Amino acid sequence: QVQLVESGGGLVQAGGSLRLSCAASGRTFSSSALGWFRQAPGTEREFVAAISGSGISTDYADSVKGRFTISRDNAKNTGYLQMNNVKPEDTAVYYCAARNGRLIGSSYNYWGQGTQVTVSS
C-alpha cells in the first residue's frame, strides 16, 4: 500500500502564498499519478489539480488555474501544491491522492488525511 502525508496547511491572508507537501511511501512514487482535492464545509469534495507520474502532464480546475501549481520531486517521493494569490474561497481541507497508474485519471486509490488551509480576508 501507499502512505500519503500532507503538510504545509495553515492560516494565510488573501493574496498570500502557501505550499502544501505530500510525502509518499510504500511503493515507487513515480509510478503513480498524483492529485490534489479539497473540501470546504457544506460542500462536496472537488478536484483541484493532478500530475502524471513523470511530472510532464498536469491538469487544473478552472477555479485555480493561473494561481496554483502542482509539481513533484520523484527523487524525494514528494508532491507539492504551490498556492499563490489565495482567496477566501480557497479555504478548505486539502487532500493528496495517488492512483495505480502513471497517467492522470478520475479514480484514486490512496488518500492522505488532509490538511486545513484557511484564507482570511
Side-chain angles (χ1 to χ4, degrees), residues 4 32-37 45 47-52 59 70 95-101 103-111:
L4 302 172
S32 298
L34 184 70
W36 285 95
F37 297 77
R45 181 177 296 176
F47 168 79
V48 176
I51 187 167
S52 62
D59 190 27
I70 188 170
Y95 299 90
C96 176
R99 66 193 309 268
N100 288 326
L103 303 181
I104 294 171
S106 60
S107 298
Y108 290 82
N109 304 99
Y110 311 99
W111 294 81

Side-chain angles (χ1 to χ4, degrees), residues 21-65:
S21 297
C22 175
S25 63
R27 63 172 294 170
T28 302
F29 186 62
S30 62
S31 69
S32 298
L34 184 70
W36 285 95
F37 297 77
R38 67 187 183 186
Q39 186 169 20
T43 71
E44 296 293 320
R45 181 177 296 176
E46 67 172 337
F47 168 79
V48 176
I51 187 167
S52 62
S54 68
I56 294 174
S57 299
T58 60
D59 190 27
Y60 297 92
D62 288 342
S63 59
V64 306
K65 284 182 178 178

Side-chain angles (χ1 to χ4, degrees), residues 12-20 38 46-49 60-71 80-92 94 117 119:
V12 61
Q13 291 186 330
S17 298
L18 202 65
R19 188 176 76 161
L20 306 184
R38 67 187 183 186
E46 67 172 337
F47 168 79
V48 176
Y60 297 92
D62 288 342
S63 59
V64 306
K65 284 182 178 178
R67 299 189 298 117
F68 292 7
T69 302
I70 188 170
S71 63
Y80 304 95
L81 184 69
Q82 179 67 44
M83 306 168 61
N84 294 333
N85 191 25
V86 295
K87 303 176 180 180
E89 52 263 44
D90 295 322
T91 295
Y94 283 72
V117 172
V119 181

